[in-house]
Amino acid sequence: MSIIATIRNSATGQPIQKMTFQRMPKPWVTFHLATGEMVTADRVNVGKPAPGKFIAPVENWVTPKSA
């Protein structure tokens, strides 16, 4: 089962993009954004699932250099 995470800018809190991971991303994961920029996660937040659902929201916070 894939994990769909929202990638957020640590400085502004704005979402950058959505990304699919094969496993739960680790706090030190390094990946490429859609722009081609390589970033390292500052932190990973796993939220609480909505009532009646089993999929929890996942957010990766990154600091892009182009921002």
Side-chain angles (χ1 to χ4, degrees):
M1 183 170 165
S2 298
I3 305 294
I4 300 172
T6 302
I7 311 301
R8 290 191 176 270
N9 187 331
S10 292
T12 63
Q14 296 296 317
I16 298 173
Q17 69 184 45
K18 290 213 179 256
M19 185 172 242
T20 303
F21 293 92
Q22 292 302 316
R23 307 170 128 195
M24 181 60 76
K26 302 290 184 193
W28 56 84
V29 67
T30 300
F31 54 91
H32 292 276
L33 296 175
T35 61
E37 182 178 358
M38 190 166 101
V39 293
T40 302
D42 296 333
R43 68 178 191 251
V44 176
N45 288 350
V46 180
K48 204 173 169 185
K53 303 290 181 181
F54 66 95
I55 298 174
V58 178
E59 294 178 336
N60 260 353
W61 294 77
V62 299
T63 304
K65 294 185 180 30
S66 62

